[in-house]
Amino acid sequence: MSKLTILIFFLISYSTWGAQTCSRVATINYQEVLVDVSNATRGEGLRYYLEKDEVSKGLLNEYQENNRPTWKRAALSTLGTAMILGGLLRTSGGDEGGITGKNFLLFGGATMIGISYLISKTNQYNNEYLLLRSIEEYNKRNTPKIFFAPTDLKQGIGGGIGIGQEF
């Protein structure tokens, strides 16, 4: 199995992980409300309720601001992808030990993409606390209560069994 086949398989399987965005729901007055209306505005489905409380609204705005993509993360991923493509296009021969060597480009690019992914997931995980805190602040002073429990953030690992629906 060639490296290109493995890379294509990884990219195809990676795209199936992104379908979780539309599945988060909160219960308000015994009705389910979508929390994430789209990828661009995570948590926007709760804005109607959270706007009633200034503290909750501020935390929701901060949550959404932290979820926006930054040029630094995009540049790191783009550079990593360019290095991998350069390594795949590079023919064997010449200076294999330098920074333009095929192995350096392939492994360096994969490392950069991996680091970018880990930074992104870590920021996303830490940012979820703001959304939960926003809901808690709203529930302290307002009705109807919002019931939302994606996973237990203290343990760091969550799981569930159920039927999912994608849009």
Side-chain angles (χ1 to χ4, degrees):
M1 190 181 273
S2 71
K3 293 176 185 176
L4 183 59
T5 307
I6 293 171
L7 179 64
I8 290 172
F9 176 74
F10 175 74
L11 291 175
I12 290 171
S13 66
Y14 181 73
S15 67
T16 61
W17 295 341
Q20 68 182 0
T21 304
C22 290
S23 63
R24 297 195 319 168
V25 292
T27 304
I28 305 170
N29 277 343
Y30 302 103
Q31 295 178 345
E32 290 186 343
V33 176
L34 284 176
V35 174
D36 302 323
V37 179
S38 70
N39 270 343
T41 54
R42 295 175 58 100
E44 190 65 25
L46 299 176
R47 181 170 291 280
Y48 173 77
Y49 298 99
L50 297 178
E51 278 184 332
K52 296 174 184 176
D53 186 68
E54 287 300 317
V55 175
S56 296
K57 181 181 172 185
L59 289 168
L60 177 64
N61 290 338
E62 185 179 351
Y63 169 77
Q64 288 179 339
E65 182 67 32
N66 290 345
N67 270 327
R68 289 199 177 103
T70 63
W71 68 269
K72 295 173 187 175
R73 285 186 237 154
L76 190 61
S77 296
T78 303
L79 184 59
T81 303
M83 287 177 68
I84 288 176
L85 289 175
L88 291 173
L89 296 175
R90 176 132 166 89
T91 58
S92 297
D95 182 30
E96 282 296 321
I99 62 171
T100 59
K102 187 174 186 172
N103 289 336
F104 179 82
L105 290 174
L106 288 174
F107 293 120
T111 302
M112 290 181 97
I113 291 173
I115 288 172
S116 174
Y117 176 77
L118 288 175
I119 290 171
S120 175
K121 283 298 181 184
T122 302
N123 287 341
Q124 182 182 1
Y125 173 79
N126 290 334
N127 196 33
E128 286 300 312
Y129 176 73
L130 289 173
L131 181 63
L132 293 176
R133 203 165 131 225
S134 174
I135 293 170
E136 288 173 4
E137 290 293 328
Y138 168 85
N139 284 340
K140 285 180 186 176
R141 295 179 284 278
N142 298 290
T143 56
K145 301 291 185 204
I146 299 173
F147 299 99
F148 176 66
T151 56
D152 186 11
L153 291 178
K154 293 175 185 161
Q155 293 179 357
I157 297 174
I161 298 174
I163 299 173
Q165 179 179 1
E166 297 181 23
F167 299 101

